[in-house]
Every structure is written in structure tokens, then in C-alpha cells.
Amino acid sequence: MTSSPTADRPEPAPDDVDRLAGVDLAAEPIFLMARAAALGSSMANRGLAPLGLKVRSYSILAVACSGTGPTQRELGDLLRMRPSQTVAILDELEQRGLVERRTDPRDRRSKTVVPTGPGRELYASAKAAVDRAAETSLGALSPRDREDLARLLRLLAF
Amino acid sequence: MTSSPTADRPEPAPDDVDRLAGVDLAAEPIFLMARAAALGSSMANRGLAPLGLKVRSYSILAVACSGTGPTQRELGDLLRMRPSQTVAILDELEQRGLVERRTDPRDRRSKTVVPTGPGRELYASAKAAVDRAAETSLGALSPRDREDLARLLRLLAF
DNA sequence: TATTGTTATACTCTATAACTATA
DNA sequence: TATAGTTATAGAGTATAACAATA
């Protein structure tokens, strides 16, 4: 995420953090969110690694596969990254033959991003991997809790 | 923090992201969490900047002020950072006279981190700044929603 | 032999500014 | 004059391994 976009490291023994789980900081929503997001991204990165993707490149590929024909600027706004970052990741995805850049006929400054056949295929596998990571990450939550969480996060994220 | 630990940049016009807010990716909990966490950290960083702190250094200071006498390893586990990172931030905090390292008499390999007087004072201001940031960030949520969110995040984070 | 903290180093991610081409 | 994308570069953040002190 930004997060994001975070480390992919083994978890410490739970006992170690439990002793500090009662401090004031652990009650602050910003801290809780950052820690939960880091855990989730870490999990997702582990699942995506075999496919040669990370959360960022996966996210771009996912939006490219949405059928909305996003421009690079729109991608950057949604994923919170600078134009130069978007360019770098897109260069890699395009070089791997997963997406293509097409100049928008209505505004020839913009380029829309569309997936290739292999791009769609990889996205399907990648989405499955991310879903599995989410399943692991949200394992402690009931279906009802998951719905609530998604609703609340949507309010915050948009 | 992890995420984390993310950028501090101006928000794009909401209209720009709204067009893409309906894509599949925007329904994935890991993405939502990463984005919400990035927004929250960004807000917190803006509030902390005048005090010479960032989310990471603030977090260490906060745990140091908790009265639990955390060791550096415990800090690293809770905040998801490597020993070398902990050392670097702690060096800075100690140099500014905000915390002290004390060798644990029971295990002379470990060092516990305790705040100084000025450290406690700065923490008070910093916590107020972070609370204001959280207030802004959670503005869209009712008190009930905030409680639910905190509960769900605690389940995920620990 | 394993662990805590430290140092040094390399790598990744992110930020900034200058440039082009279009508008 | 402003915006989308590109490039180059620097900075912040993170990862890795070797080391000293202690267990």
C-alpha cells in the first residue's frame, strides 16, 4: 500500500508481540490499519511471487483487466503512485507482453492500458493467489465481520 | 507503516478515482486495507512533520512511553521492522534526547528503551497530532462504526 | 550454539524536476 | 498556459550478511 507495498518477511513468534499488544499505540486506528495492511500485503506478496508479480504490478494488471481502459494518470491516482512509478511498472508489464499502451484518440496525450491474452490469463491466476492470501489473512473473521470490514474500509478508502 | 510508512502527498481530485472505484480490485480487502492505511499514514505524517517525527519514530516513542520497557527486538516485532532499522531510528531519538537505551540486567544482551522527560512531553503533543489525524481520517464513520472497525482490525493485526 | 544489538552494504521504493507532445 | 507521459537522479526505506557481546 501504500502500503504497502510492504515487506515480505517471516512473522515473529506471536508471543513476542503479545506482551506489547496492550500499549496505547495498539489501540490507535492508524496503527492498527497500518499493521493489518502490512500483514495482508506481505501475505499477498508471498502468493504473487511465483507469478513474477507484486501488489503494485498486480494492481495495475487488475485494473487493466477491468474493461474500463484506465489511463496512466487514473492508475496512478487510484494506486497512489507518481507518474514515474506508473511508467516503470508499466514498462515491465508491457515488456513481458501482459499489457499494451494505446494512445487515446480523443486526447492524444493520454495512454490507456489494456491487457493482452497472456495478461488476462496471468491475472486470473494472480487473482486466485490474492484471494487465497485474503482468505488466510481474514481467517479469524466471520462472514458477517468480513462484510462489515469491507464496508468500513470502502468508506475510508474512497 | 508498513506500510507502510507511506508517502505524504496531496490527494488527487476524488473524481479521478471515482471512475475506477467500481473495478474488481476495489472490492478486494487487501487492496482496500492498503489504500485506507496509506491514506491514514499520510495524514498522520502530515500532523507529525512539525514535531520532527514520522509514523515509525512516533510509534517507537509511543511504545517507549508505555511503561512496559520494551526491548529493541520487541519493538521490531511489533512494528515489523528489522533490527538495523530499529537501531537507526533509535539512534536518532536518543541523539535528540527523547529516549534512552538501558542494558537489561537480567539479560545483558538486550536493551530496554525508556523515554526521557522531553521524550514524554513530545509524545504527548505527537499523540494529540495523531489523534487529530485519525479524527480527520475517520470522519466519515459513526462512533459505532469506529468501534467495529477497531475491533476487526485488532483481530487482523494480532 | 543461539540471540541481541550493531555496522556496512546493496537493493527497492518513492520523490523531484526537467523534458516532449499534445491540448 | 496546462496536462499526460517520459526520463534521469537523488533520497528514503528496506533487506542481507558479518560481527561482538552475552546467553
Side-chain angles (χ1 to χ4, degrees), chain B residues 6 14-15 20 23 25 28 36 38 49 53 64 67 76 86 88-89 94 105 111-112 124 142 145:
Chain B
T6 312
D15 300 339
L20 296 182
V23 302
L25 180 70
E28 294 181 15
L53 292 172
T86 313
I89 299 178
E94 195 169 34
K111 296 182 183 172
T112 57
S142 70
D145 280 348

Side-chain angles (χ1 to χ4, degrees), chain B:
Chain B
M1 54 167 34
T2 299
S3 192
S4 96
T6 312
D8 184 9
R9 75 190 182 103
E11 272 310 288
D15 300 339
D16 296 337
V17 302
D18 279 359
R19 194 178 85 78
L20 296 182
V23 302
D24 274 9
L25 180 70
E28 294 181 15
I30 289 179
F31 168 80
L32 285 171
M33 199 122 71
R35 194 177 148 86
L39 290 169
S41 294
S42 173
M43 197 79 74
N45 272 325
R46 268 202 287 276
L48 288 170
L51 304 174
L53 292 172
K54 301 183 181 180
V55 281
R56 279 294 168 71
S57 44
Y58 164 76
S59 299
I60 286 190
L61 182 60
V63 182
C65 288
S66 68
T68 56
T71 67
Q72 297 188 198
R73 185 187 52 72
E74 287 175 326
L75 284 169
D77 287 348
L78 181 67
L79 305 178
R80 293 179 59 78
M81 42 189 185
R82 312 271 173 182
S84 53
Q85 271 179 73
T86 313
V87 168
I89 299 178
L90 231 31
D91 282 350
E92 191 201 320
L93 292 178
E94 195 169 34
Q95 217 164 11
R96 291 174 61 187
L98 300 171
V99 302
E100 286 175 5
R101 284 187 253 221
R102 293 190 186 158
T103 304
D104 185 341
R106 290 167 307 185
D107 182 345
R108 300 173 32 94
R109 290 173 304 181
S110 319
K111 296 182 183 172
T112 57
V113 180
V114 295
T116 63
R120 287 187 187 284
E121 283 179 31
L122 184 65
Y123 169 60
S125 308
K127 176 158 175 46
V130 169
D131 286 347
R132 280 193 299 274
E135 190 57 33
T136 306
S137 192
L138 301 179
L141 272 55
S142 70
R144 170 75 184 280
D145 280 348
R146 296 185 193 197
E147 282 178 33
D148 286 348
L149 180 67
R151 177 180 61 83
L152 296 170
L153 290 177
R154 255 193 306 275
L155 284 173
L156 295 182
F158 295 108

Side-chain angles (χ1 to χ4, degrees), chain A residues 57-71 74-75 78-79 113-115 123, chain B residues 20 23-26 31:
Chain A
S57 44
Y58 164 75
S59 299
I60 287 191
L61 182 60
V63 182
C65 289
S66 69
T68 57
T71 67
E74 286 175 325
L75 283 169
L78 180 68
L79 305 178
V113 180
V114 295
Y123 169 61
Chain B
L20 296 182
V23 302
D24 274 9
L25 180 70
F31 168 80

Side-chain angles (χ1 to χ4, degrees), chain A residues 2 7 18 20 29 38 43 68 77 84 102-103 109 120 125 127 129 133 147 152-153:
Chain A
T2 271
D18 280 358
L20 296 182
M43 196 80 74
T68 57
D77 288 347
S84 52
R102 293 190 186 156
T103 304
R109 291 174 302 182
R120 287 187 188 282
S125 308
K127 178 157 173 46
E147 282 178 33
L152 296 170
L153 290 177

Side-chain angles (χ1 to χ4, degrees), chain A residues 1 4-8 40-62 79 81 89 92-93 96 98 122-123 126-127 129-130, chain B residues 25 28 30-31:
Chain A
M1 284 159 6
S4 209
T6 310
D8 183 10
S41 293
S42 174
M43 196 80 74
N45 271 326
R46 269 201 287 275
L48 288 170
L51 303 174
L53 292 172
K54 300 182 182 181
V55 281
R56 279 292 167 72
S57 44
Y58 164 75
S59 299
I60 287 191
L61 182 60
L79 305 178
M81 44 189 182
I89 299 179
E92 192 201 318
L93 292 178
R96 291 174 60 188
L98 300 171
L122 184 66
Y123 169 61
K127 178 157 173 46
V130 170
Chain B
L25 180 70
E28 294 181 15
I30 289 179
F31 168 80

